[in-house]
Amino acid sequence: IDPAWDRNRWGFGDFYGIRGDKGDFRLVFRYLENALNDEQGYDVIILPALHGWDNYPRRVRHRILQLVSKGTGLVYVHPYCMEADSAASRTLRELSPLLGGEGDYFNPGGYLVTKRGAPRTGRWSKVADHPIVRAVPIDALPTRKFRFYRYAVRDGAPVLLAASDMPILAVGTYG
């Protein structure tokens, strides 16, 4: 899941060179799958979508959906799919209150590329009161320096943070 796969190729013994080869995230995804199957469970999962929902293995996506449908919270940072019309993208539309995010892509060299003009900047503001944002001092943060992507909001999903008319954080339910 590491966007700096070419710099983070460390390992000991027989593991040298197998971590983070170009486009090969099997080992990292296996770690993620093992963590999601931990018997202790989680109150909340914070998931950065560095490579898009559709690049997580099907088993990982299925396990996340299972956990969330049973009450585990999910903070999904930058939800998007690289393939806009796939089975994974349809599942993401059911899961995420933010829809249609502008995704990043892999160039032929294997590096994750952010589309030009996709991330925006602007002053953030609280739009609604919610326990997730209640104690966050948004006005004290340098939000004009924070980047965010343009999204639409799923019908009925409350928006908690926005910049102008663009939603940044919304909440929803799944399952």
Side-chain angles (χ1 to χ4, degrees):
I1 305 176
D2 188 352
W5 59 266
D6 58 336
R7 291 187 300 258
N8 296 330
R9 294 176 52 120
W10 53 271
F12 297 101
D14 294 338
F15 292 103
Y16 186 78
I18 68 167
R19 295 175 189 232
D21 282 344
K22 179 170 92 174
D24 183 3
F25 302 106
R26 290 178 292 179
L27 184 62
V28 176
F29 287 147
R30 189 168 66 221
Y31 291 160
L32 177 58
E33 184 178 4
N34 289 342
L36 291 171
N37 287 317
D38 187 291
E39 291 180 14
Q40 292 181 0
Y42 298 93
D43 293 328
V44 66
I45 298 168
I46 300 174
L47 185 67
L50 298 176
H51 298 159
W53 175 253
D54 47 350
N55 279 308
Y56 289 109
R58 184 177 294 132
R59 292 184 317 274
V60 168
R61 293 190 315 255
H62 180 72
R63 183 64 180 146
I64 290 169
L65 295 173
Q66 280 181 326
L67 292 168
V68 172
S69 69
K70 291 179 181 176
T72 300
L74 176 64
V75 176
Y76 195 9
V77 180
H78 185 36
Y80 76 97
C81 279
M82 289 190 174
E83 299 286 332
D85 191 26
S86 64
S89 70
R90 289 186 289 277
T91 304
L92 180 60
R93 286 191 295 270
E94 296 172 12
L95 175 67
S96 176
L98 296 176
L99 307 171
E102 299 159 307
D104 302 329
Y105 63 93
F106 289 107
N107 69 14
Y111 293 95
L112 192 65
V113 177
T114 300
K115 291 180 183 173
R116 179 167 290 199
R120 291 159 173 78
T121 59
R123 186 171 179 78
W124 296 16
S125 62
K126 288 184 186 178
V127 178
D129 185 43
H130 190 278
I132 292 174
V133 295
R134 190 168 293 141
V136 179
I138 293 296
D139 293 334
L141 299 174
T143 57
R144 287 189 175 140
K145 296 181 180 183
F146 297 168
R147 297 176 352 160
F148 61 91
Y149 290 80
R150 180 180 296 276
Y151 287 97
V153 181
R154 186 174 66 205
D155 287 343
V159 174
L160 306 182
L161 296 177
S164 299
D165 62 342
M166 293 179 278
I168 294 171
L169 176 65
V171 293
T173 58
Y174 175 81

